[in-house]
Amino acid sequence: MFIDFGKLNGNNSVDTVLDPREIFDVLPEKDEKYEEYLRDVQTEVLNKWYNENKNKKDVIVKMNTGSGKTVVGLLMLKSCLNEKKGPAVYVVPDPYLVKQVIEEAKCLGIEVTERTDDPSFLKGESILVINIFKLINGKSVFGVEQIDIHIGSIIIDDAHACLDIAETQFSINIPSETSVYKELLNLFRESLKQQSEVGLMELEAGDPNANRIVPFWTWNEKKSDIIRLLHSNKDSNEENLKSLKFGWPLLKNNIELCNCVIGSDSIEISPKFLPIHNIPSFQNAQRRIFMSATISDDTVLVSHFNINQTTINQSITPNSSNDIGERMIIIPQELNTEISDVHLKSFYKDLSRKHNVVIIVPSNYRARFWEDVADKILNSRNLYSGVAELKNGHVGLVVVINKYDGIDLPKTACSVLVIDGLPDVRRKIDKIEQGALQGSDLLLNGTIQKIEQGMGRGIRSKDDYCVVFLMGRSLVSHLYVYGAIDKFTSATSKQIELSSQLSKQLRGKSLEDLREVINYSLERNKEWIKTSRGALVKVKYDSSVRFGETTVLERTAYNNALNKNYREATRIMLEAVNKEENNIIRGFLKQKLSEYLHFYDPVEAQQTLMSAVNDNSQVVHPIEGIQYNKLLPSDTSQAQGLVNFIRSRFSDPNKYILFVNKLIDQLIFLPNTANVFEQAFMDLAYVIGFTGQRPEKEFKKGPDNLWSIGNSEYYVVECKNGAIAEQISKHDCNQLNGSINWFLERYDESNTLVPIMIHKSNKFEFAASPHKNIRIINESSLNQLKTNLSELAKGVTANLNDINKVDDLLKTYNFTPENFITKYTIEYK
């Protein structure tokens, strides 16, 4: 008869030992890959957790990507089970990672399950491995507003990735083809019209860029109607109301503290912060361990998981940060602004003939750029099999869509990794807030977090190596012009610093020169390996925790509002406003302050909102609207205005070129990019020495863009870069005609204007009645503008101290008022 002695309760049994390092030692069926010992970094983290932190409710563990984080997490939970602190749950962002954790557990010989009804899990004998969807949804088996399955100890692995998914779970999305959408739109039509008549027209015309937030006073006035409508449809079997079915139970008791954004495709309802208390099994767990790679900002754990930041003095980290693999980080378009995306595409394809080249892109649209050279394009449906192929041998050039975390590409699975462009925001409320916070630091942290997570995909151990390329002019501009490069963690910053020193010797060089340099890594040059490892040897983890004071105050205010204590919520938000020095952020915070004020003093709320608009014209406008501020002509010449702009905005001229390159990338004809395009077109005014304004965005009336070009002359511009019709519609024509009338009402007869429509076509449909002076910027003229803009930027940066030369360059490339219309616009038909 066979006896499994590992299951007997001896003194050293795997089910009774508490110290996780000792558990590892006594595990009887470990895979030989572990070589019978833990890595130093794993031992250091387990020591700190077990000896100093295991009895704390909330713990943050930070370990570099590829340092064995999953093994550490499984051993911690096994220790919790042995201490009778179960049931134990290991949570990851997606099903793909569930498989990875289960495979790791099998290699260790630790018992795990995927079934929430597994008796071994419920009795605290095995670890439940699930994705975040299983825990957080309105039909959660763990219980909503009550505990159906008790949790003793829980690990949230890749915590920052789980947060993004949790946001989605706490949102309701109602597609435009449903009757619920139509009824909600009817409820809010007049309020949306008051905010922006043009915005409502675009919404009802099906403009894919039209996302409009419902003003908070209307949302609260209509609360009873909203509840009635959503409640009556909560059990609908319609597939396109599935989000309502799973989201309603999480939001129904706090609907007044939600945002509602209406787009032409759907309505999104989401909370100001996650009411995580609605999943009490998570909220009341005895031990909650949040694991992540070394992200420098921990604020999201407060905003999303509502942890008490005062109880966490520091995170648990290894002693040294040199456990990270070797990365040579190259930013080609910073080294040589002549290098285009097309050049890089050919370069990477050539590299892929010998090496696996993995390119992470933010969207399906961007993936299409690579279709002609990609050997495989991976999305959520084929990710697991695609990664397996990369691990098994040479595949070539592989494009991965919007997956910056949670995939392991060790060794030759990924010798060259490319991060192509900035990660996209997905939720409608994020797009609204992105518009309101343009240019502020609050937007950078999340972006850098995703980029850094993506950069870690190709190094899965200390001995691994990878060449990492960052490409895309918008990405490069954010890193250098907006200072985001300073927000990376210490190990990544050190590797970028080393690569930057290397780059000084490469500035202006060709891609072929670059090939020789990256071969130092790919062909394992001993001097490079020595230098690379030496750069990290003294780098230490930063174990301090950073919680953004503003967000902590906002979350505290929200928690008070959940308890109907609106006056205290207001007091706390006022504290946040008074501490903020940045006008854009302060205006945004004043809007949030007015939202709480409205519950007990609607008049004061509107006055506060008026003040908010003075700080930040992108926030919700008060009921009475705001006064339009005219765009006044500059008192300097165009050439001097351009030089002044560069010197005031950029610390060195090369950053001006990077900024221009970003605009060139953003000035494209593409659906769903209107906000980015309109902002880029306004920035273009300053880039060539004029001044600009976005009246429709800032004042809710008027054209998309208004340029002052001097001598009391203006361009009134409507941007239709997302239009796909072969003719200019009557609707778009009327919009520009309306903007012409708007200008004539606000500027006296001493001012003149040229109305401009940006559209692929220069032909109006038969029913349209275009103004006789309208000019068109079509795709051909826009491309010519961008080509000349690139040349202008290079010439200006070389001649900043010679105003006459700058003036000559503006004339040469046809950016003066005399030439702009002739060169870059055409007549309509």
Side-chain angles (χ1 to χ4, degrees):
M1 179 178 176
F2 175 75
I3 299 296
D4 186 347
F5 289 96
K7 293 183 178 179
L8 299 181
N9 288 325
N11 290 333
N12 293 320
S13 169
V14 72
D15 294 324
T16 57
V17 172
L18 299 183
D19 190 322
R21 296 156 303 166
E22 294 178 7
I23 292 173
F24 178 82
D25 291 336
V26 300
L27 286 169
E29 299 173 3
K30 291 192 297 291
D31 190 279
E32 61 184 17
K33 72 177 182 177
Y34 297 112
E35 299 178 349
E36 299 303 320
Y37 63 88
L38 291 166
R39 301 181 200 170
D40 289 345
V41 291
Q42 293 170 318
T43 300
E44 289 161 5
V45 168
L46 291 171
N47 276 340
K48 292 179 182 179
W49 175 76
Y50 182 72
N51 295 326
E52 304 166 26
N53 295 279
K54 71 170 183 173
N55 291 321
K56 294 179 180 178
K57 178 178 176 64
D58 289 326
V59 171
I60 300 173
V61 176
K62 295 183 180 181
M63 298 176 69
N64 279 323
T65 299
S67 57
K69 186 157 48 77
T70 305
V71 171
V72 168
L74 288 167
L75 290 172
M76 285 178 174
L77 286 183
K78 180 59 178 169
S79 172
C80 292
L81 288 182
N82 291 356
E83 198 183 345
K84 308 304 179 187
K85 301 293 185 183
V89 184
Y90 196 118
V91 181
V92 292
D94 55 46
Y96 172 81
L97 285 170
V98 169
K99 293 180 181 179
Q100 283 194 352
V101 174
I102 288 174
E103 286 176 7
E104 194 75 71
K106 287 179 179 178
C107 290
L108 283 167
I110 291 177
E111 189 176 350
V112 295
T113 181
E114 291 183 74
R115 291 174 44 212
T116 55
D117 61 350
D118 190 322
S120 67
F121 156 64
L122 296 173
K123 289 190 295 183
E125 295 172 354
S126 67
I127 298 168
L128 175 68
V129 184
I130 57 171
N131 64 56
I132 190 73
F133 295 97
K134 182 78 76 171
L135 175 67
I136 296 179
N137 70 77
K139 304 288 185 180
S140 175
V141 295
F142 291 89
V144 177
E145 298 184 338
Q146 63 183 30
I147 296 178
D148 292 336
I149 298 177
H150 172 70
I151 295 175
S153 304
I154 186 168
I155 281 181
I156 307 292
D157 197 359
D158 277 333
H160 292 76
C162 285
L163 293 171
D164 292 339
I165 296 164
E167 284 182 337
T168 304
Q169 295 298 93
F170 272 99
S171 298
I172 295 171
N173 193 276
I174 300 169
S176 58
E177 59 268 22
T178 64
S179 60
V180 181
Y181 175 97
K182 295 176 178 62
E183 289 190 56
L184 285 173
L185 179 57
N186 284 334
L187 270 181
F188 305 127
R189 178 175 278 104
E190 285 306 312
S191 185
L192 294 175
K193 183 178 180 180
Q194 186 271 332
Q195 284 289 302
S196 172
E197 190 168 348
V198 171
L200 179 61
M201 286 173 57
E202 291 173 341
L203 198 62
E204 297 187 319
D207 187 330
N209 301 296
N211 288 306
R212 299 288 166 176
I213 189 165
V214 175
F216 57 84
W217 55 90
T218 306
W219 180 252
N220 278 282
E221 287 166 6
K222 306 287 186 181
K223 177 182 171 182
S224 295
D225 294 322
I226 297 163
I227 291 174
R228 172 192 54 77
L229 181 58
L230 297 181
H231 179 77
S232 64
N233 287 275
K234 66 181 176 63
D235 295 320
S236 171
N237 290 322
E238 286 187 57
E239 180 63 27
N240 53 14
L241 287 179
K242 186 178 180 180
S243 170
L244 175 58
K245 183 176 183 178
F246 285 92
W248 175 247
L250 296 173
L251 301 182
K252 64 182 181 181
N253 292 325
N254 308 111
I255 201 71
E256 70 279 3
L257 295 177
C258 286
N259 297 304
C260 179
V261 182
I262 302 181
S264 59
D265 60 334
S266 65
I267 291 174
E268 176 188 277
I269 301 170
S270 58
K272 301 181 192 302
F273 289 94
L274 301 193
I276 196 69
H277 63 277
N278 284 329
I279 307 292
S281 56
F282 169 77
Q283 184 81 350
N284 298 327
Q286 290 175 269
R287 294 177 179 174
R288 304 190 301 184
I289 302 167
F290 301 93
M291 301 184 73
S292 182
T294 50
I295 304 302
S296 58
D297 185 6
D298 306 288
T299 310
V300 286
L301 297 179
V302 176
S303 61
H304 289 54
F305 287 148
N306 195 30
I307 67 171
N308 182 353
Q309 81 284 355
T310 61
T311 64
I312 302 177
N313 299 320
Q314 59 182 15
S315 58
I316 300 174
T317 68
N319 295 330
S320 171
S321 189
N322 64 359
D323 57 316
I324 193 171
E326 171 202 311
R327 288 182 295 195
M328 179 185 283
I329 301 171
I330 304 291
I331 310 175
Q333 290 155 314
E334 191 270 331
L335 301 177
N336 184 345
T337 55
E338 297 290 314
I339 295 174
S340 70
D341 288 0
V342 174
H343 294 143
L344 289 170
K345 182 198 284 190
S346 177
F347 177 68
Y348 298 143
K349 182 60 181 176
D350 195 42
L351 286 176
S352 73
R353 302 185 203 287
K354 183 178 179 181
H355 306 281
N356 277 334
V357 176
V358 176
I359 300 172
I360 302 178
V361 299
S363 63
N364 288 311
Y365 169 79
R366 186 56 182 174
R368 291 198 286 273
F369 171 76
W370 299 96
E371 278 181 343
D372 58 330
V373 296
D375 294 292
K376 275 192 174 296
I377 295 180
L378 305 182
N379 53 35
S380 57
R381 293 186 299 276
N382 63 346
L383 182 66
Y384 191 79
S385 60
V387 169
E389 282 189 61
L390 284 166
K391 290 180 178 179
N392 288 333
H394 182 254
V395 179
L397 192 147
V398 177
V399 176
V400 179
I401 300 175
N402 195 34
K403 187 64 178 172
Y404 294 87
D405 52 67
I407 54 173
D408 291 343
L409 299 168
K411 306 295 183 181
T412 57
C414 177
S415 299
V416 177
L417 177 68
V418 181
I419 306 295
D420 176 19
L422 287 169
D424 283 349
V425 295
R426 298 292 178 181
R427 298 193 309 159
K428 291 183 183 299
I429 188 60
D430 292 332
K431 292 177 181 178
I432 295 290
E433 293 188 355
Q434 188 178 60
L437 290 168
Q438 280 183 359
S440 80
D441 277 355
L442 285 182
L443 292 177
L444 290 179
N445 290 332
T447 301
I448 288 301
Q449 169 201 316
K450 280 200 170 183
I451 292 170
E452 185 156 13
Q453 284 176 323
M455 290 168 65
R457 298 307 97 203
I459 48 167
R460 309 310 301 171
S461 70
K462 183 177 180 179
D463 298 323
D464 207 350
Y465 65 91
C466 182
V467 176
V468 178
F469 287 95
L470 303 180
M471 70 171 283
R473 286 164 169 167
S474 292
L475 172 55
V476 175
S477 179
H478 267 72
L479 291 179
Y480 287 97
V481 177
Y482 296 108
I485 202 163
D486 299 327
K487 294 181 178 291
F488 286 113
T489 51
S490 56
T492 300
S493 295
K494 200 66 179 178
Q495 288 179 327
I496 290 177
E497 182 184 326
L498 175 62
S499 298
S500 179
Q501 293 168 359
L502 182 70
S503 300
K504 290 177 182 177
Q505 303 177 46
L506 296 173
R507 196 165 299 282
K509 299 292 186 181
S510 68
L511 283 172
E512 283 310 306
D513 294 320
L514 199 56
R515 186 192 301 272
E516 294 181 27
V517 173
I518 67 173
N519 279 338
Y520 285 125
S521 173
L522 297 176
E523 296 178 2
R524 312 311 294 140
N525 177 278
K526 291 182 179 179
E527 287 299 312
W528 163 253
I529 296 171
K530 177 182 176 182
T531 303
S532 177
R533 290 182 177 172
L536 290 177
V537 72
K538 293 185 179 180
V539 177
K540 301 292 183 184
Y541 273 96
D542 184 358
S543 62
S544 61
V545 287
R546 293 184 176 87
F547 299 107
E549 184 180 11
T550 298
T551 305
V552 170
L553 289 170
E554 287 184 73
R555 177 75 210 203
T556 307
Y558 174 76
N559 289 344
N560 276 278
L562 286 173
N563 295 324
K564 313 297 183 186
N565 192 352
Y566 300 118
R567 292 182 184 274
E568 180 62 10
T570 300
R571 185 195 67 76
I572 294 168
M573 279 307 304
L574 184 59
E575 182 182 344
V577 168
N578 290 337
K579 288 182 177 181
E580 183 54 60
E581 296 180 357
N582 180 288
N583 278 3
I584 292 174
I585 299 174
R586 186 168 63 244
F588 186 63
L589 293 176
K590 283 180 181 178
Q591 175 187 301
K592 295 188 174 189
L593 168 62
S594 63
E595 291 169 4
Y596 294 132
L597 261 172
H598 179 78
F599 286 107
Y600 64 91
D601 194 341
V603 174
E604 181 66 21
Q606 291 297 314
Q607 291 175 345
T608 300
L609 200 56
M610 184 73 75
S611 174
V613 172
N614 290 334
D615 287 330
N616 182 346
S617 61
Q618 307 296 317
V619 301
V620 172
H621 284 202
I623 294 172
E624 294 182 2
I626 61 170
Q627 184 176 355
Y628 171 68
N629 295 323
K630 287 184 179 180
L631 179 63
L632 300 177
S634 172
D635 55 3
T636 63
S637 68
Q638 183 182 0
Q640 188 63 59
L642 172 51
V643 171
N644 291 347
F645 171 72
I646 295 173
R647 286 178 173 163
S648 64
R649 182 79 178 267
F650 308 102
S651 57
D652 68 71
N654 192 50
K655 290 184 178 180
Y656 166 70
I657 292 182
L658 294 175
F659 183 75
V660 169
N661 286 339
K662 183 192 77 166
L663 296 189
I664 289 171
D665 269 8
Q666 293 175 334
L667 291 170
I668 55 174
F669 284 92
L670 176 68
N672 300 315
T673 59
N675 187 54
V676 172
F677 185 97
E678 291 167 17
Q679 183 64 39
F681 199 79
M682 190 194 81
D683 289 337
L684 174 62
Y686 292 91
V687 158
I688 60 176
F690 298 143
T691 56
Q693 196 181 62
R694 294 178 64 187
E696 202 286 317
K697 182 73 174 176
E698 296 176 29
F699 304 100
K700 309 306 178 186
K701 290 184 179 180
D704 293 329
N705 264 259
L706 181 68
W707 284 15
S708 171
I709 60 171
N711 297 320
S712 298
E713 297 178 16
Y714 293 84
Y715 295 159
V716 173
V717 186
E718 287 295 338
C719 304
K720 299 299 174 186
N721 70 303
I724 56 176
E726 294 183 3
Q727 295 180 340
I728 303 173
S729 68
K730 178 182 178 181
H731 170 271
D732 290 348
C733 176
N734 289 345
Q735 193 170 331
L736 181 52
N737 286 342
S739 294
I740 294 169
N741 293 334
W742 171 90
F743 179 87
L744 295 175
E745 289 172 4
R746 285 160 181 78
Y747 291 79
D748 61 36
E749 62 275 2
S750 65
N751 299 285
T752 60
L753 77 142
V754 177
I756 298 173
M757 173 79 74
I758 301 176
H759 199 289
K760 278 189 173 183
S761 173
N762 70 323
K763 185 176 182 180
F764 285 91
E765 68 180 17
F766 181 76
S769 302
H771 188 281
K772 63 180 180 178
N773 295 333
I774 288 176
R775 303 287 296 184
I776 307 294
I777 296 179
N778 64 5
E779 198 159 17
S780 175
S781 53
L782 184 62
N783 287 337
Q784 184 61 56
L785 183 156
K786 293 194 291 185
T787 298
N788 287 354
L789 179 62
S790 178
E791 296 302 314
L792 172 73
K794 287 182 283 187
V796 167
T797 54
N799 295 276
L800 271 180
N801 295 321
D802 188 340
I803 289 295
N804 291 329
K805 182 62 178 177
V806 172
D807 188 57
D808 289 341
L809 287 165
L810 289 166
K811 292 173 181 174
T812 299
Y813 293 110
N814 298 296
F815 286 110
T816 58
E818 300 80 27
N819 296 341
F820 187 93
I821 295 299
T822 303
K823 184 67 178 178
Y824 302 120
T825 72
I826 58 176
E827 294 180 347
Y828 68 84
K829 296 180 182 179

